[in-house]
Amino acid sequence: MSPDLHHLSGAYSVDALDRDERSAFESHLAECEACRSEVTELSATAHSLAVLAEAGPPASLRTAVLAGISQVRPLPPLTADDAAEDADDEPTIVGPTTPMGGEAGVARAGATVIPLFRRTTTWIAAAAAAAVLAVGGAAWSPWSADQPTLSALQRVIQAPDAATVTSHKGAVTATLAYSRELNRSALTVTGMPPAPDGHTYQLWYMGSDEVARSAGFLTPSPDGRAEAVLAGGLTGAAAVGVTVEPTGGSAAPTGQPIMVMAVA
Amino acid sequence: MMYLMTAASPVPTTSDSGGAAASSPDLAELLRRSARGDEESFARLYDATSRRVFGLVLRVVRDHAMSEEVTQEVYLDVWRTSARFDAQKGSALSWLMTIAHRAAVDRVRSSESSRRRDDAHATSAQAVAFDETAEAAEASLEAQRVRKALSTLTEAQRSAVELAYLGGYTHTEVAKLLGLPLGTAKTRIRDGLIRLRDTLGVPA
C-alpha cells in the first residue's frame, strides 16, 4: 500500500478529505485491510467527540422526520448476490460515496467496537439525554404515607441540599432525590410495568471512576409505582441507573440500563 | 476502564419483554425493526439518538434551520437504508453518526451553505447560544471522559482533530487554520485519533 494513502485514514475517518481524495482513498480501502480496520476504529473514536456537542432538536423536527419516513419504503437487505461484489475474505468496509446515497454507505463503522463500549455509551448518553435537573425538593410527593422507607425518603427530600432529577421514558417517570450532605439518594417511579418473569429491577450507583455499584432493587406495585432509598452511600457516584437483572440481582449490570440519571 | 468491566460476559437483554425494555433501546434491534417498516421502533431510535445527531450537525453546520434540514435527511436516509446496517461490522450508533457527520460536512462544503455558515460563524451570539445548549452534555460523564482523553493529545493534535471533526474542515483547511505546513494536518489528525482511541479504550 502507498504510505501516503495510508496516512489519510485519520482524515478520512473524520471526513476531512476533499472529494477527489475521498474517492481515491475509498478505492484504496477496498484493497487495504489495515486501513479498513484502522478506519473502523478511528471513526468510532471520532464519533465519541459528538457527546461534546449534544443539543436537543425542536419537537417539530421529530414530527417532520416521522411524517417523512411514513412516505418512504425501506430498502431491502443486500442479498448474497449483492454482497458477492464486495466479498473478500474480510468484511468489506465501504464508505458512502455520496452523503445521502446510502446504498453503499452502510458498513463503514466500528467492526471492532465491543459491546462494553456500546453499552457504556448508552448509559452515559441516556444520562445526558434524560437529565432535567431541578434543585430543591418542592416537586416531591411520596404517594403512600405508610411505606416503610418513608422516613428515610423524607430525610433525603428535606435535606437542606436536596436536589431532584426527573427522567421521562415513555410512560415511565422517575424522580431521583439526593443529598450529598446526607450521602443518600432515593428513587420514585410511576408508570413502571412489572419486571419480566424471572427478572427484577436493580439499582446502581455509577461512579466517576466508572465502576457500577449495586444499590438495591426496585419493585413496582400493581399500579406501576415504586420507591426505594438506594443502598449505600452517594459518595463517588456520578449517576444512578436501573437495569433489568435476573431475579436475585447481579454483581454487575448485565443488561442495558432502562434509566440513567446524572447526579451533580 | 469502563462500566461493566466486571460483568463476566454480555447477557442478552430482555429487549422483547415489553415496557421496561421499551425505555432501554437496543439501537441495533430498533434498526432491524425499522428495516421491516416498524415506524414506532424508528421513533424510539430517533428519541434515543437525536440529541447526539442534531448536536453534531448543528456544531458543524451552525445554521439552525439548515441543521434541521440535514438532520431530517439523515434520519430519512437511516430509515431507508436500515436493512443494510450490519451489527457484525460495528455499532448502530457509530453507523448512524457516520451518516450524520458525512451529511453535515458535505452540506457545509457546498458553496451556498459555506456562505451561510460563515455568516453564522461571524455572529458571536451564535457561538454563545451553542455553548449554552451544550451545557447539559458537558456535565455528562461521557463528556468528562472525552474531555479528559482530549487533554492527553498535543495541542496541535487536539486542534486538528476538533477542527476536522467538530468544525467540518478538510485537512488542507485545518493546516491553513493552524499555520501548519500543507500535508501535515492529516498526520496530526491521525496521530490524535490514535491516541484518543488508545485512551478511550476502543479496542485495537
Side-chain angles (χ1 to χ4, degrees), chain A residues 15-16 38 41 47 54 62 72 75-76 96 106 109-110 118 124 210, chain B residues 1 47 52 79-80 84 89-90 95 101-102 109 142 145 190 197:
Chain A
D15 296 314
E38 186 162 288
E41 293 171 14
H47 293 313
E54 284 198 351
R62 185 182 196 274
V72 174
L75 291 171
V106 193
R118 292 213 295 273
I124 306 304
E210 306 188 351
Chain B
M1 300 296 286
D47 291 340
R52 190 74 60 104
W79 166 260
R80 205 168 58 80
R84 310 290 171 87
K89 295 178 182 173
W95 180 73
H101 191 263
R102 176 70 60 92
R109 288 184 195 161
E142 191 182 13
R145 197 170 76 98
R190 179 165 174 267
R197 175 197 67 191

PDB file of all heavy atoms in Angstrom, chain A residues 15-16 38 41 47 54 62 72 75-76 96 106 109-110 118 124 210, chain B residues 1 47 52 79-80 84 89-90 95 101-102 109 142 145 190 197:
ATOM      1  N   ASP A  15     -13.979  12.664   7.895  1.00  0.00           N
ATOM      2  CA  ASP A  15     -14.494  13.331   6.689  1.00  0.00           C
ATOM      3  C   ASP A  15     -13.718  14.599   6.361  1.00  0.00           C
ATOM      4  O   ASP A  15     -14.297  15.614   5.992  1.00  0.00           O
ATOM      5  CB  ASP A  15     -15.994  13.659   6.854  1.00  0.00           C
ATOM      6  CG  ASP A  15     -16.845  12.409   6.976  1.00  0.00           C
ATOM      7  OD1 ASP A  15     -16.637  11.476   6.181  1.00  0.00           O
ATOM      8  OD2 ASP A  15     -17.709  12.349   7.876  1.00  0.00           O
ATOM      9  N   ALA A  16     -12.403  14.536   6.520  1.00  0.00           N
ATOM     10  CA  ALA A  16     -11.581  15.727   6.267  1.00  0.00           C
ATOM     11  C   ALA A  16     -10.838  15.640   4.935  1.00  0.00           C
ATOM     12  O   ALA A  16      -9.896  16.387   4.710  1.00  0.00           O
ATOM     13  CB  ALA A  16     -10.590  15.932   7.421  1.00  0.00           C
ATOM     14  N   GLU A  38      -8.287   0.227  10.530  1.00  0.00           N
ATOM     15  CA  GLU A  38      -7.965   1.483  11.214  1.00  0.00           C
ATOM     16  C   GLU A  38      -9.105   2.488  11.090  1.00  0.00           C
ATOM     17  O   GLU A  38      -9.460   3.169  12.055  1.00  0.00           O
ATOM     18  CB  GLU A  38      -6.669   2.067  10.647  1.00  0.00           C
ATOM     19  CG  GLU A  38      -6.211   3.282  11.421  1.00  0.00           C
ATOM     20  CD  GLU A  38      -4.745   3.615  11.165  1.00  0.00           C
ATOM     21  OE1 GLU A  38      -3.882   2.877  11.650  1.00  0.00           O
ATOM     22  OE2 GLU A  38      -4.480   4.598  10.456  1.00  0.00           O
ATOM     23  N   GLU A  41     -11.892   1.719  13.524  1.00  0.00           N
ATOM     24  CA  GLU A  41     -11.598   2.134  14.898  1.00  0.00           C
ATOM     25  C   GLU A  41     -11.588   3.650  15.051  1.00  0.00           C
ATOM     26  O   GLU A  41     -12.137   4.192  16.014  1.00  0.00           O
ATOM     27  CB  GLU A  41     -10.220   1.612  15.316  1.00  0.00           C
ATOM     28  CG  GLU A  41     -10.139   0.120  15.442  1.00  0.00           C
ATOM     29  CD  GLU A  41      -8.703  -0.339  15.652  1.00  0.00           C
ATOM     30  OE1 GLU A  41      -7.837   0.498  15.957  1.00  0.00           O
ATOM     31  OE2 GLU A  41      -8.461  -1.538  15.494  1.00  0.00           O
ATOM     32  N   HIS A  47     -16.408   9.567  16.639  1.00  0.00           N
ATOM     33  CA  HIS A  47     -17.809   9.816  16.973  1.00  0.00           C
ATOM     34  C   HIS A  47     -18.021   9.999  18.467  1.00  0.00           C
ATOM     35  O   HIS A  47     -19.036  10.554  18.885  1.00  0.00           O
ATOM     36  CB  HIS A  47     -18.697   8.696  16.439  1.00  0.00           C
ATOM     37  CG  HIS A  47     -18.739   8.663  14.945  1.00  0.00           C
ATOM     38  ND1 HIS A  47     -18.938   9.805  14.187  1.00  0.00           N
ATOM     39  CD2 HIS A  47     -18.588   7.659  14.064  1.00  0.00           C
ATOM     40  CE1 HIS A  47     -18.896   9.475  12.910  1.00  0.00           C
ATOM     41  NE2 HIS A  47     -18.684   8.182  12.802  1.00  0.00           N
ATOM     42  N   GLU A  54     -23.759  17.705  22.069  1.00  0.00           N
ATOM     43  CA  GLU A  54     -25.181  17.341  22.130  1.00  0.00           C
ATOM     44  C   GLU A  54     -26.094  18.552  22.261  1.00  0.00           C
ATOM     45  O   GLU A  54     -25.800  19.475  23.012  1.00  0.00           O
ATOM     46  CB  GLU A  54     -25.431  16.401  23.306  1.00  0.00           C
ATOM     47  CG  GLU A  54     -24.968  14.984  23.033  1.00  0.00           C
ATOM     48  CD  GLU A  54     -25.580  13.977  23.986  1.00  0.00           C
ATOM     49  OE1 GLU A  54     -26.233  14.403  24.953  1.00  0.00           O
ATOM     50  OE2 GLU A  54     -25.405  12.781  23.746  1.00  0.00           O
ATOM     51  N   ARG A  62     -38.987  16.193  15.050  1.00  0.00           N
ATOM     52  CA  ARG A  62     -39.423  14.806  15.262  1.00  0.00           C
ATOM     53  C   ARG A  62     -40.678  14.528  14.433  1.00  0.00           C
ATOM     54  O   ARG A  62     -40.787  13.500  13.751  1.00  0.00           O
ATOM     55  CB  ARG A  62     -39.695  14.580  16.746  1.00  0.00           C
ATOM     56  CG  ARG A  62     -40.049  13.145  17.103  1.00  0.00           C
ATOM     57  CD  ARG A  62     -40.354  13.045  18.589  1.00  0.00           C
ATOM     58  NE  ARG A  62     -40.347  11.666  19.075  1.00  0.00           N
ATOM     59  CZ  ARG A  62     -41.401  10.855  19.023  1.00  0.00           C
ATOM     60  NH1 ARG A  62     -42.532  11.273  18.490  1.00  0.00           N
ATOM     61  NH2 ARG A  62     -41.316   9.630  19.479  1.00  0.00           N
ATOM     62  N   VAL A  72     -41.794   6.623   2.850  1.00  0.00           N
ATOM     63  CA  VAL A  72     -40.635   6.018   2.197  1.00  0.00           C
ATOM     64  C   VAL A  72     -40.536   4.545   2.557  1.00  0.00           C
ATOM     65  O   VAL A  72     -40.610   4.175   3.731  1.00  0.00           O
ATOM     66  CB  VAL A  72     -39.331   6.737   2.634  1.00  0.00           C
ATOM     67  CG1 VAL A  72     -38.112   6.018   2.075  1.00  0.00           C
ATOM     68  CG2 VAL A  72     -39.351   8.189   2.169  1.00  0.00           C
ATOM     69  N   LEU A  75     -35.219   0.226   2.002  1.00  0.00           N
ATOM     70  CA  LEU A  75     -34.590  -0.633   1.007  1.00  0.00           C
ATOM     71  C   LEU A  75     -34.532  -2.060   1.533  1.00  0.00           C
ATOM     72  O   LEU A  75     -34.420  -2.290   2.729  1.00  0.00           O
ATOM     73  CB  LEU A  75     -33.164  -0.156   0.728  1.00  0.00           C
ATOM     74  CG  LEU A  75     -33.021   1.183   0.003  1.00  0.00           C
ATOM     75  CD1 LEU A  75     -31.563   1.615   0.012  1.00  0.00           C
ATOM     76  CD2 LEU A  75     -33.532   1.056  -1.424  1.00  0.00           C
ATOM     77  N   PRO A  76     -34.594  -3.024   0.606  1.00  0.00           N
ATOM     78  CA  PRO A  76     -34.433  -4.422   1.046  1.00  0.00           C
ATOM     79  C   PRO A  76     -32.992  -4.666   1.484  1.00  0.00           C
ATOM     80  O   PRO A  76     -32.097  -3.911   1.120  1.00  0.00           O
ATOM     81  CB  PRO A  76     -34.772  -5.223  -0.200  1.00  0.00           C
ATOM     82  CG  PRO A  76     -34.452  -4.306  -1.328  1.00  0.00           C
ATOM     83  CD  PRO A  76     -34.750  -2.913  -0.844  1.00  0.00           C
ATOM     84  N   PRO A  96     -19.880   5.754   2.356  1.00  0.00           N
ATOM     85  CA  PRO A  96     -20.837   6.306   1.418  1.00  0.00           C
ATOM     86  C   PRO A  96     -20.098   7.147   0.390  1.00  0.00           C
ATOM     87  O   PRO A  96     -19.220   7.915   0.751  1.00  0.00           O
ATOM     88  CB  PRO A  96     -21.730   7.201   2.278  1.00  0.00           C
ATOM     89  CG  PRO A  96     -21.372   6.907   3.689  1.00  0.00           C
ATOM     90  CD  PRO A  96     -20.032   6.262   3.703  1.00  0.00           C
ATOM     91  N   VAL A 106     -23.186   1.723   4.269  1.00  0.00           N
ATOM     92  CA  VAL A 106     -23.789   1.122   5.421  1.00  0.00           C
ATOM     93  C   VAL A 106     -22.803   0.490   6.373  1.00  0.00           C
ATOM     94  O   VAL A 106     -23.083   0.314   7.536  1.00  0.00           O
ATOM     95  CB  VAL A 106     -24.791   0.048   4.956  1.00  0.00           C
ATOM     96  CG1 VAL A 106     -25.667  -0.378   6.099  1.00  0.00           C
ATOM     97  CG2 VAL A 106     -25.616   0.597   3.827  1.00  0.00           C
ATOM     98  N   ALA A 109     -18.626   1.707   9.825  1.00  0.00           N
ATOM     99  CA  ALA A 109     -18.179   1.987  11.187  1.00  0.00           C
ATOM    100  C   ALA A 109     -17.969   0.754  12.045  1.00  0.00           C
ATOM    101  O   ALA A 109     -18.686  -0.228  11.970  1.00  0.00           O
ATOM    102  CB  ALA A 109     -19.191   2.894  11.861  1.00  0.00           C
ATOM    103  N   GLY A 110     -16.930   0.781  12.810  1.00  0.00           N
ATOM    104  CA  GLY A 110     -16.839   0.084  14.079  1.00  0.00           C
ATOM    105  C   GLY A 110     -16.840  -1.434  14.129  1.00  0.00           C
ATOM    106  O   GLY A 110     -17.439  -1.992  15.024  1.00  0.00           O
ATOM    107  N   ARG A 118     -20.180  -0.087  23.598  1.00  0.00           N
ATOM    108  CA  ARG A 118     -21.509   0.363  23.195  1.00  0.00           C
ATOM    109  C   ARG A 118     -22.376   0.598  24.410  1.00  0.00           C
ATOM    110  O   ARG A 118     -23.107   1.566  24.491  1.00  0.00           O
ATOM    111  CB  ARG A 118     -22.159  -0.699  22.304  1.00  0.00           C
ATOM    112  CG  ARG A 118     -21.473  -0.842  20.969  1.00  0.00           C
ATOM    113  CD  ARG A 118     -22.484  -1.211  19.906  1.00  0.00           C
ATOM    114  NE  ARG A 118     -23.074  -2.513  20.109  1.00  0.00           N
ATOM    115  CZ  ARG A 118     -22.528  -3.624  19.654  1.00  0.00           C
ATOM    116  NH1 ARG A 118     -21.400  -3.594  19.014  1.00  0.00           N
ATOM    117  NH2 ARG A 118     -23.128  -4.762  19.852  1.00  0.00           N
ATOM    118  N   ILE A 124     -24.243   6.490  29.357  1.00  0.00           N
ATOM    119  CA  ILE A 124     -23.910   7.902  29.530  1.00  0.00           C
ATOM    120  C   ILE A 124     -24.799   8.765  28.658  1.00  0.00           C
ATOM    121  O   ILE A 124     -25.285   9.805  29.086  1.00  0.00           O
ATOM    122  CB  ILE A 124     -22.437   8.144  29.171  1.00  0.00           C
ATOM    123  CG1 ILE A 124     -21.559   7.199  29.968  1.00  0.00           C
ATOM    124  CG2 ILE A 124     -22.058   9.577  29.439  1.00  0.00           C
ATOM    125  CD1 ILE A 124     -21.736   7.271  31.444  1.00  0.00           C
ATOM    126  N   GLU A 210     -16.168   5.240  37.041  1.00  0.00           N
ATOM    127  CA  GLU A 210     -16.773   4.396  36.018  1.00  0.00           C
ATOM    128  C   GLU A 210     -16.970   2.951  36.469  1.00  0.00           C
ATOM    129  O   GLU A 210     -16.934   2.034  35.658  1.00  0.00           O
ATOM    130  CB  GLU A 210     -15.991   4.472  34.706  1.00  0.00           C
ATOM    131  CG  GLU A 210     -15.842   5.905  34.248  1.00  0.00           C
ATOM    132  CD  GLU A 210     -15.253   6.020  32.853  1.00  0.00           C
ATOM    133  OE1 GLU A 210     -14.814   4.998  32.305  1.00  0.00           O
ATOM    134  OE2 GLU A 210     -15.273   7.125  32.334  1.00  0.00           O
TER     135      GLU A 210
ATOM    136  N   MET B   1     -10.690   2.243  31.626  1.00  0.00           N
ATOM    137  CA  MET B   1     -11.668   1.449  32.366  1.00  0.00           C
ATOM    138  C   MET B   1     -13.073   1.897  31.997  1.00  0.00           C
ATOM    139  O   MET B   1     -13.328   3.057  31.778  1.00  0.00           O
ATOM    140  CB  MET B   1     -11.473   1.638  33.875  1.00  0.00           C
ATOM    141  CG  MET B   1     -10.117   1.219  34.366  1.00  0.00           C
ATOM    142  SD  MET B   1      -9.817  -0.525  34.145  1.00  0.00           S
ATOM    143  CE  MET B   1     -10.840  -1.208  35.450  1.00  0.00           C
ATOM    144  N   ASP B  47     -35.654   9.090  19.230  1.00  0.00           N
ATOM    145  CA  ASP B  47     -35.637   9.673  20.577  1.00  0.00           C
ATOM    146  C   ASP B  47     -34.315   9.383  21.297  1.00  0.00           C
ATOM    147  O   ASP B  47     -33.843  10.194  22.080  1.00  0.00           O
ATOM    148  CB  ASP B  47     -36.811   9.139  21.397  1.00  0.00           C
ATOM    149  CG  ASP B  47     -38.146   9.656  20.885  1.00  0.00           C
ATOM    150  OD1 ASP B  47     -38.149  10.690  20.184  1.00  0.00           O
ATOM    151  OD2 ASP B  47     -39.179   9.024  21.172  1.00  0.00           O
ATOM    152  N   ARG B  52     -27.756  13.582  20.006  1.00  0.00           N
ATOM    153  CA  ARG B  52     -26.382  13.372  19.555  1.00  0.00           C
ATOM    154  C   ARG B  52     -26.226  13.784  18.093  1.00  0.00           C
ATOM    155  O   ARG B  52     -25.294  14.483  17.721  1.00  0.00           O
ATOM    156  CB  ARG B  52     -26.020  11.896  19.758  1.00  0.00           C
ATOM    157  CG  ARG B  52     -24.580  11.520  19.562  1.00  0.00           C
ATOM    158  CD  ARG B  52     -23.666  11.967  20.683  1.00  0.00           C
ATOM    159  NE  ARG B  52     -23.992  11.421  21.983  1.00  0.00           N
ATOM    160  CZ  ARG B  52     -23.305  10.428  22.575  1.00  0.00           C
ATOM    161  NH1 ARG B  52     -22.288   9.876  21.988  1.00  0.00           N
ATOM    162  NH2 ARG B  52     -23.648  10.016  23.779  1.00  0.00           N
ATOM    163  N   TRP B  79     -33.544   5.498   7.876  1.00  0.00           N
ATOM    164  CA  TRP B  79     -34.758   4.678   7.706  1.00  0.00           C
ATOM    165  C   TRP B  79     -34.682   3.873   6.417  1.00  0.00           C
ATOM    166  O   TRP B  79     -34.931   2.669   6.394  1.00  0.00           O
ATOM    167  CB  TRP B  79     -35.971   5.612   7.688  1.00  0.00           C
ATOM    168  CG  TRP B  79     -37.254   5.007   7.193  1.00  0.00           C
ATOM    169  CD1 TRP B  79     -37.794   5.149   5.950  1.00  0.00           C
ATOM    170  CD2 TRP B  79     -38.164   4.181   7.936  1.00  0.00           C
ATOM    171  NE1 TRP B  79     -38.984   4.464   5.860  1.00  0.00           N
ATOM    172  CE2 TRP B  79     -39.234   3.858   7.065  1.00  0.00           C
ATOM    173  CE3 TRP B  79     -38.180   3.690   9.237  1.00  0.00           C
ATOM    174  CZ2 TRP B  79     -40.311   3.069   7.459  1.00  0.00           C
ATOM    175  CZ3 TRP B  79     -39.245   2.900   9.635  1.00  0.00           C
ATOM    176  CH2 TRP B  79     -40.298   2.595   8.754  1.00  0.00           C
ATOM    177  N   ARG B  80     -34.308   4.564   5.338  1.00  0.00           N
ATOM    178  CA  ARG B  80     -34.305   3.940   4.024  1.00  0.00           C
ATOM    179  C   ARG B  80     -33.273   2.809   3.953  1.00  0.00           C
ATOM    180  O   ARG B  80     -33.499   1.784   3.304  1.00  0.00           O
ATOM    181  CB  ARG B  80     -33.978   5.010   2.983  1.00  0.00           C
ATOM    182  CG  ARG B  80     -34.477   4.740   1.589  1.00  0.00           C
ATOM    183  CD  ARG B  80     -34.353   5.985   0.729  1.00  0.00           C
ATOM    184  NE  ARG B  80     -32.994   6.469   0.647  1.00  0.00           N
ATOM    185  CZ  ARG B  80     -32.065   5.952  -0.161  1.00  0.00           C
ATOM    186  NH1 ARG B  80     -32.373   4.972  -0.972  1.00  0.00           N
ATOM    187  NH2 ARG B  80     -30.841   6.425  -0.169  1.00  0.00           N
ATOM    188  N   ARG B  84     -29.555  -2.322   5.639  1.00  0.00           N
ATOM    189  CA  ARG B  84     -28.155  -2.520   5.245  1.00  0.00           C
ATOM    190  C   ARG B  84     -27.197  -2.411   6.424  1.00  0.00           C
ATOM    191  O   ARG B  84     -26.004  -2.615   6.269  1.00  0.00           O
ATOM    192  CB  ARG B  84     -27.760  -1.491   4.165  1.00  0.00           C
ATOM    193  CG  ARG B  84     -28.744  -1.411   3.004  1.00  0.00           C
ATOM    194  CD  ARG B  84     -28.668  -2.678   2.148  1.00  0.00           C
ATOM    195  NE  ARG B  84     -29.720  -2.767   1.143  1.00  0.00           N
ATOM    196  CZ  ARG B  84     -29.634  -2.235  -0.080  1.00  0.00           C
ATOM    197  NH1 ARG B  84     -28.587  -1.543  -0.416  1.00  0.00           N
ATOM    198  NH2 ARG B  84     -30.613  -2.390  -0.940  1.00  0.00           N
ATOM    199  N   LYS B  89     -20.435  -5.473  11.888  1.00  0.00           N
ATOM    200  CA  LYS B  89     -19.394  -4.564  11.397  1.00  0.00           C
ATOM    201  C   LYS B  89     -19.288  -3.287  12.209  1.00  0.00           C
ATOM    202  O   LYS B  89     -18.576  -2.370  11.820  1.00  0.00           O
ATOM    203  CB  LYS B  89     -19.655  -4.227   9.923  1.00  0.00           C
ATOM    204  CG  LYS B  89     -19.526  -5.433   9.011  1.00  0.00           C
ATOM    205  CD  LYS B  89     -19.836  -5.077   7.585  1.00  0.00           C
ATOM    206  CE  LYS B  89     -19.742  -6.311   6.687  1.00  0.00           C
ATOM    207  NZ  LYS B  89     -20.196  -6.007   5.326  1.00  0.00           N
ATOM    208  N   GLY B  90     -20.000  -3.222  13.316  1.00  0.00           N
ATOM    209  CA  GLY B  90     -19.871  -2.028  14.129  1.00  0.00           C
ATOM    210  C   GLY B  90     -21.167  -1.689  14.827  1.00  0.00           C
ATOM    211  O   GLY B  90     -22.202  -2.294  14.562  1.00  0.00           O
ATOM    212  N   TRP B  95     -22.589   3.728  13.179  1.00  0.00           N
ATOM    213  CA  TRP B  95     -23.117   3.742  11.805  1.00  0.00           C
ATOM    214  C   TRP B  95     -23.940   4.998  11.560  1.00  0.00           C
ATOM    215  O   TRP B  95     -23.779   5.709  10.568  1.00  0.00           O
ATOM    216  CB  TRP B  95     -23.973   2.485  11.604  1.00  0.00           C
ATOM    217  CG  TRP B  95     -24.587   2.334  10.245  1.00  0.00           C
ATOM    218  CD1 TRP B  95     -23.944   2.012   9.090  1.00  0.00           C
ATOM    219  CD2 TRP B  95     -25.973   2.498   9.919  1.00  0.00           C
ATOM    220  NE1 TRP B  95     -24.853   1.966   8.056  1.00  0.00           N
ATOM    221  CE2 TRP B  95     -26.096   2.251   8.527  1.00  0.00           C
ATOM    222  CE3 TRP B  95     -27.112   2.818  10.653  1.00  0.00           C
ATOM    223  CZ2 TRP B  95     -27.320   2.319   7.867  1.00  0.00           C
ATOM    224  CZ3 TRP B  95     -28.328   2.892   9.996  1.00  0.00           C
ATOM    225  CH2 TRP B  95     -28.424   2.641   8.623  1.00  0.00           C
ATOM    226  N   HIS B 101     -22.410  12.686  10.222  1.00  0.00           N
ATOM    227  CA  HIS B 101     -21.237  13.554  10.068  1.00  0.00           C
ATOM    228  C   HIS B 101     -20.947  13.811   8.600  1.00  0.00           C
ATOM    229  O   HIS B 101     -20.682  14.945   8.188  1.00  0.00           O
ATOM    230  CB  HIS B 101     -20.022  12.936  10.765  1.00  0.00           C
ATOM    231  CG  HIS B 101     -18.868  13.880  10.868  1.00  0.00           C
ATOM    232  ND1 HIS B 101     -17.824  13.874   9.975  1.00  0.00           N
ATOM    233  CD2 HIS B 101     -18.622  14.899  11.733  1.00  0.00           C
ATOM    234  CE1 HIS B 101     -16.967  14.838  10.307  1.00  0.00           C
ATOM    235  NE2 HIS B 101     -17.431  15.469  11.369  1.00  0.00           N
ATOM    236  N   ARG B 102     -21.029  12.757   7.823  1.00  0.00           N
ATOM    237  CA  ARG B 102     -20.766  12.904   6.396  1.00  0.00           C
ATOM    238  C   ARG B 102     -21.774  13.889   5.769  1.00  0.00           C
ATOM    239  O   ARG B 102     -21.416  14.744   4.963  1.00  0.00           O
ATOM    240  CB  ARG B 102     -20.841  11.538   5.702  1.00  0.00           C
ATOM    241  CG  ARG B 102     -20.671  11.544   4.196  1.00  0.00           C
ATOM    242  CD  ARG B 102     -19.264  11.879   3.746  1.00  0.00           C
ATOM    243  NE  ARG B 102     -18.263  10.944   4.237  1.00  0.00           N
ATOM    244  CZ  ARG B 102     -17.846   9.864   3.578  1.00  0.00           C
ATOM    245  NH1 ARG B 102     -18.369   9.560   2.419  1.00  0.00           N
ATOM    246  NH2 ARG B 102     -16.904   9.094   4.087  1.00  0.00           N
ATOM    247  N   ARG B 109     -19.872  22.093   2.706  1.00  0.00           N
ATOM    248  CA  ARG B 109     -18.867  22.296   1.664  1.00  0.00           C
ATOM    249  C   ARG B 109     -19.470  22.735   0.339  1.00  0.00           C
ATOM    250  O   ARG B 109     -18.744  23.060  -0.588  1.00  0.00           O
ATOM    251  CB  ARG B 109     -18.015  21.040   1.478  1.00  0.00           C
ATOM    252  CG  ARG B 109     -17.089  20.884   2.658  1.00  0.00           C
ATOM    253  CD  ARG B 109     -16.142  19.737   2.533  1.00  0.00           C
ATOM    254  NE  ARG B 109     -15.565  19.476   3.860  1.00  0.00           N
ATOM    255  CZ  ARG B 109     -14.979  18.355   4.218  1.00  0.00           C
ATOM    256  NH1 ARG B 109     -14.875  17.378   3.353  1.00  0.00           N
ATOM    257  NH2 ARG B 109     -14.502  18.217   5.429  1.00  0.00           N
ATOM    258  N   GLU B 142     -19.780  10.967  30.105  1.00  0.00           N
ATOM    259  CA  GLU B 142     -19.008  10.644  28.919  1.00  0.00           C
ATOM    260  C   GLU B 142     -18.283  11.868  28.390  1.00  0.00           C
ATOM    261  O   GLU B 142     -17.152  11.776  27.918  1.00  0.00           O
ATOM    262  CB  GLU B 142     -19.887  10.046  27.812  1.00  0.00           C
ATOM    263  CG  GLU B 142     -19.014   9.481  26.713  1.00  0.00           C
ATOM    264  CD  GLU B 142     -19.795   8.910  25.548  1.00  0.00           C
ATOM    265  OE1 GLU B 142     -21.000   9.157  25.471  1.00  0.00           O
ATOM    266  OE2 GLU B 142     -19.167   8.228  24.735  1.00  0.00           O
ATOM    267  N   ARG B 145     -15.233  12.183  30.257  1.00  0.00           N
ATOM    268  CA  ARG B 145     -14.262  11.176  29.853  1.00  0.00           C
ATOM    269  C   ARG B 145     -13.579  11.585  28.540  1.00  0.00           C
ATOM    270  O   ARG B 145     -12.363  11.452  28.392  1.00  0.00           O
ATOM    271  CB  ARG B 145     -15.000   9.838  29.677  1.00  0.00           C
ATOM    272  CG  ARG B 145     -14.117   8.623  29.654  1.00  0.00           C
ATOM    273  CD  ARG B 145     -14.976   7.370  29.723  1.00  0.00           C
ATOM    274  NE  ARG B 145     -15.628   7.064  28.469  1.00  0.00           N
ATOM    275  CZ  ARG B 145     -15.174   6.174  27.593  1.00  0.00           C
ATOM    276  NH1 ARG B 145     -14.062   5.516  27.832  1.00  0.00           N
ATOM    277  NH2 ARG B 145     -15.820   5.935  26.476  1.00  0.00           N
ATOM    278  N   ARG B 190      -4.535  12.026  12.362  1.00  0.00           N
ATOM    279  CA  ARG B 190      -4.421  10.580  12.565  1.00  0.00           C
ATOM    280  C   ARG B 190      -3.750  10.263  13.897  1.00  0.00           C
ATOM    281  O   ARG B 190      -4.237   9.414  14.667  1.00  0.00           O
ATOM    282  CB  ARG B 190      -3.640   9.950  11.406  1.00  0.00           C
ATOM    283  CG  ARG B 190      -3.460   8.457  11.534  1.00  0.00           C
ATOM    284  CD  ARG B 190      -3.011   7.833  10.213  1.00  0.00           C
ATOM    285  NE  ARG B 190      -2.710   6.419  10.377  1.00  0.00           N
ATOM    286  CZ  ARG B 190      -1.492   5.949  10.637  1.00  0.00           C
ATOM    287  NH1 ARG B 190      -0.469   6.779  10.765  1.00  0.00           N
ATOM    288  NH2 ARG B 190      -1.294   4.654  10.760  1.00  0.00           N
ATOM    289  N   ARG B 197      -8.128   6.995  20.646  1.00  0.00           N
ATOM    290  CA  ARG B 197      -8.606   5.600  20.627  1.00  0.00           C
ATOM    291  C   ARG B 197      -7.964   4.820  21.774  1.00  0.00           C
ATOM    292  O   ARG B 197      -8.640   4.097  22.508  1.00  0.00           O
ATOM    293  CB  ARG B 197      -8.235   4.942  19.294  1.00  0.00           C
ATOM    294  CG  ARG B 197      -8.570   3.468  19.217  1.00  0.00           C
ATOM    295  CD  ARG B 197      -7.819   2.786  18.073  1.00  0.00           C
ATOM    296  NE  ARG B 197      -6.382   2.754  18.344  1.00  0.00           N
ATOM    297  CZ  ARG B 197      -5.460   2.410  17.444  1.00  0.00           C
ATOM    298  NH1 ARG B 197      -5.822   2.106  16.219  1.00  0.00           N
ATOM    299  NH2 ARG B 197      -4.186   2.399  17.769  1.00  0.00           N
TER     300      ARG B 197
END
